[in-house]
Amino acid sequence: MGLQACLLGLFALILSGKCSYSPEPDQRRTLPPGWVSLGRADPEEELSLTFALRQQNVERLSELVQAVSDPSSPQYGKYLTLENVADLVRPSPLTLHTVQKWLLAAGARKCHSVITQDFLTCWLSIRQAELLLPGAEFHHYVGGPTETHVVRSPHPYQLPQALAPHVDFVGGLHRFPPTSSLRQSPEPQVTGTVGLHLGVTPSVIRKRYNLTSQDVGSGTSNNSQACAQFLEQYFHDSDLAQFMRLFGGNFAHQASVARVVGQQGRGRAGIEASLDVQYLMSAGANISTWVYSSPGRHEGQEPFLQWLMLLSNESALPHVHTVSYGDDEDSLSSAYIQRVNTELMKAAARGLTLLFASGDSGAGCWSVSGRHQFRPTFPASSPYVTTVGGTSFQEPFLITNEIVDYISGGGFSNVFPRPSYQEEAVTKFLSSSPHLPPSSYFNASGRAYPDVAALSDGYWVVSNRVPIPWVSGTSASTPVFGGILSLINEHRILSGRPPLGFLNPRLYQQHGAGLFDVTRGCHESCLDEEVEGQGFCSGPGWDPVTGWGTPNFPALLKTLLNP
């Protein structure tokens, strides 16, 4: 049957399922650990689905990102507005008309778009959704540490073939909310405490990274920063206030969040949510801070996707965003990964600095056709974000040099090729590292990460009014690095320069100037006879464990202040 016949019979196709295709055949649909099915959803129950519409001019968008992010380009720092991005990527009139007609015929209602018009979120009954998406079968599930309820389909869905040029994927069917990989280490044993610290606090971070009490926001600029949380966790203002009373006495700071986007639950505070806010606001001290808190949560929605849509629907956003979220690359469909990557590209074109945690499983490990391979994570592996790894102090109780935190996520993407900005650094690492794992374990030609690092081991956090020690993970290093970049943005804005924007092209051109190089330690990987649990090892210059290294604030400010 030809394309014309498909177009003529859209409504019939909804019912018949003929002339159809699967947009996400490679999406993993196995139930994550800790989740259980509660059975089929009621056919009359309503759910919300998100339709990712095919964008235009994505190649041109990629070129513009390079132009505005490369210090050697005359376009450097001349970021696009949201309206500019919308004009570029907006779906074609044919796409908009075809998809809207299809949804209308299926009985979809209360459909909402975004400024860029490339997402459409609609409400349907379960019965309508299963007719619209043949193969889908919606069930209720519950799981995760907070007993989250979601509606998902354990079976793949189909779309009419006529929609193949118009829809990338449908969100809200397969992917489950993420779970935290933060860990609380046992308290190390120590004898005598002269000159020692007993865990990482803001004063430890400020001392290690050479921040003085004057290195805070001025309170007079329009500078702002944000963290995003998708774990159905919440922070409490009272915890933030207590944290600042305990640990913020020697620097000016803000004791409350400027804006919460999304739903702030009234339940117990989560350690990860508390950590993100407390360390973004103590590293990026006295800078206006937003929190995206499980935005747009509904049983049928994917919180990370909702956050991306919020970015496409607001003209004025914080300059720096830190995100502690990730999934195994292999668990996500190609359609989803490529589209999310384009969303990250849109943010880079607008001059937003997106920092993602590199993950807490070292190089990772999974079995492919009976052979072990390392397991990269996404969005850490996206070429359009700055990915943050983790370190520990060489002497656990002294503010000394840093070594690799063995959990620090890092490696090489199996999806994205190596971007040009890191060609020199990665080639040098691969040709000079004395401890390279066997080539069968990783894709040497893929986008390599992380790009930078910070301390990720042994943090103090206040959660539910209780100070909690020894919290560890790259969820800690990411807001710290983000806060430090916000301080640099403060200087840039006050001197009439644009914010840093997408940092990687500049970071790699400057060969990590302004960062402490971390040269000792390896991260974990597959426990087998060949690699014996060891992944990549750090060394001089860039490496896929700690990137270019950790921030030395005065030197990094000098490096990134001009132009």
Side-chain angles (χ1 to χ4, degrees):
M1 189 181 286
L3 190 62
Q4 260 189 323
C6 285
L7 278 167
L8 289 170
L10 267 178
F11 185 54
L13 289 172
I14 295 164
L15 301 175
S16 71
K18 289 178 183 174
C19 204
S20 60
Y21 78 106
S22 176
E24 301 186 82
D26 49 347
Q27 173 65 45
R28 188 170 69 194
R29 289 180 298 276
T30 51
L31 208 54
W35 287 83
V36 293
S37 172
L38 302 178
R40 286 289 298 267
D42 187 309
E44 301 312 315
E45 190 179 327
E46 296 224 317
L47 88 161
S48 159
L49 294 173
T50 297
F51 301 85
L53 308 191
R54 185 69 45 83
Q55 297 153 317
Q56 301 191 96
N57 303 312
V58 173
E59 283 300 314
R60 177 64 183 143
L61 180 67
S62 173
E63 293 166 7
L64 287 168
V65 170
Q66 179 63 26
V68 299
S69 308
D70 180 349
S72 63
S73 161
Q75 295 298 110
Y76 180 65
K78 295 176 181 175
Y79 303 125
L80 279 66
T81 64
L82 178 57
E83 290 67 28
N84 296 152
V85 172
D87 290 342
L88 197 64
V89 304
R90 183 180 291 115
S92 70
L94 178 62
T95 290
L96 294 170
H97 174 75
T98 304
V99 174
Q100 286 164 0
K101 182 180 171 185
W102 173 63
L103 291 169
L104 196 65
R109 58 187 192 81
K110 287 195 296 190
C111 290
H112 301 285
S113 189
V114 291
I115 288 172
T116 47
Q117 293 183 264
D118 46 6
F119 283 109
L120 202 54
T121 300
C122 296
W123 287 87
L124 302 100
S125 70
I126 297 288
R127 188 192 309 279
Q128 289 169 330
E130 290 181 352
L131 281 172
L132 185 74
L133 308 167
E137 186 181 278
F138 290 95
H139 293 241
H140 281 281
Y141 295 91
V142 63
T146 54
E147 295 289 289
T148 303
H149 286 257
V150 299
V151 175
R152 294 290 187 269
S153 171
H155 305 297
Y157 65 98
Q158 302 267 309
L159 290 178
Q161 188 67 45
L163 291 177
H166 305 299
V167 177
D168 288 332
F169 69 89
V170 183
L173 280 98
H174 299 315
R175 286 164 288 276
F176 282 76
T179 54
S180 175
S181 58
L182 267 187
R183 67 192 198 285
Q184 192 175 4
S185 314
E187 185 170 342
Q189 299 303 304
V190 60
T191 54
T193 57
V194 179
L196 303 183
H197 71 85
L198 296 175
V200 175
T201 63
S203 62
V204 169
I205 283 167
R206 295 181 81 82
K207 184 171 181 184
R208 167 58 188 155
Y209 297 142
N210 292 321
L211 292 154
T212 70
S213 59
Q214 274 68 54
D215 292 320
V216 295
S218 65
T220 62
S221 73
N222 67 347
N223 194 13
S224 56
Q225 57 189 0
C227 56
Q229 302 162 349
F230 313 111
L231 293 170
E232 201 71 3
Q233 282 194 5
Y234 308 104
F235 76 94
H236 287 174
D237 277 323
S238 56
D239 288 340
L240 176 61
Q242 183 178 344
F243 178 85
M244 290 302 188
R245 280 195 301 274
L246 285 171
F247 302 120
N250 59 354
F251 55 90
H253 58 264
Q254 297 187 4
S256 62
V257 167
R259 182 174 171 188
V260 176
V261 182
Q263 299 169 347
Q264 257 292 90
R266 294 192 180 89
R268 287 173 60 78
I271 293 179
E272 181 146 343
S274 305
L275 173 80
D276 285 349
V277 174
Q278 289 163 18
Y279 281 90
L280 180 61
M281 293 184 69
S282 54
N286 212 37
I287 289 171
S288 177
T289 302
W290 296 19
V291 175
Y292 288 88
S293 181
S294 292
R297 260 292 292 142
H298 172 264
E299 285 189 345
Q301 292 176 343
E302 301 176 34
F304 181 62
L305 201 53
Q306 297 302 307
W307 175 72
L308 291 171
M309 289 167 62
L310 284 169
L311 296 188
S312 280
N313 213 27
E314 185 129 18
S315 295
L317 289 168
H319 303 305
V320 172
H321 297 253
T322 76
V323 188
S324 304
Y325 159 82
D327 267 316
D328 298 324
E329 269 188 353
D330 58 89
S331 75
L332 302 167
S333 73
S334 175
Y336 175 86
I337 278 193
Q338 294 295 344
R339 176 55 186 265
V340 169
N341 195 53
T342 303
E343 297 306 306
L344 301 171
M345 202 190 298
K346 282 160 63 178
R350 295 171 63 191
L352 303 182
T353 303
L354 302 186
L355 296 170
F356 277 80
S358 70
D360 298 336
S361 303
C365 187
W366 69 313
S367 184
V368 183
S369 305
R371 281 193 58 84
H372 279 158
Q373 289 181 9
F374 296 160
R375 193 173 204 177
T377 62
F378 178 80
S381 64
S382 166
Y384 293 102
V385 304
T386 298
T387 304
V388 186
T391 61
S392 306
F393 281 122
Q394 188 170 330
E395 303 291 338
F397 299 100
L398 294 172
I399 301 175
T400 56
N401 292 339
E402 292 159 78
I403 58 172
V404 168
D405 184 350
Y406 71 95
I407 57 94
S408 178
F412 295 78
S413 173
N414 289 321
V415 175
F416 301 106
R418 183 189 306 158
S420 58
Y421 61 73
Q422 63 172 191
E423 182 69 39
E424 180 188 345
V426 177
T427 301
K428 185 176 179 183
F429 169 80
L430 291 170
S431 63
S432 63
S433 174
H435 305 291
L436 214 55
S439 60
S440 62
Y441 278 76
F442 65 101
N443 172 30
S445 63
R447 151 50 164 158
Y449 68 95
D451 305 297
V452 293
L455 285 163
S456 57
D457 191 30
Y459 278 66
W460 281 89
V461 182
V462 173
S463 191
N464 301 298
R465 305 285 181 100
V466 178
I468 299 170
W470 309 112
V471 175
S472 302
T474 53
S475 296
S477 55
T478 307
V480 165
F481 207 100
I484 287 172
L485 291 182
S486 289
L487 293 179
I488 294 172
N489 271 341
E490 183 82 3
H491 286 267
R492 289 180 62 87
I493 291 164
L494 290 173
S495 58
R497 293 178 178 85
L500 287 165
F502 174 45
L503 189 60
N504 290 12
R506 180 167 187 160
L507 187 69
Y508 283 82
Q509 273 187 32
Q510 296 179 337
H511 299 98
L515 298 166
F516 291 118
D517 194 4
V518 179
T519 59
R520 289 189 53 188
C522 309
H523 63 183
E524 62 186 351
S525 74
C526 302
L527 283 169
D528 60 27
E529 289 182 2
E530 200 161 3
V531 295
E532 298 179 334
Q534 182 173 293
F536 298 99
C537 297
S538 64
W542 180 89
D543 55 70
V545 193
T546 59
W548 287 106
T550 64
N552 176 6
F553 180 72
L556 193 60
L557 174 63
K558 186 177 178 183
T559 299
L560 296 179
L561 185 57
N562 298 306

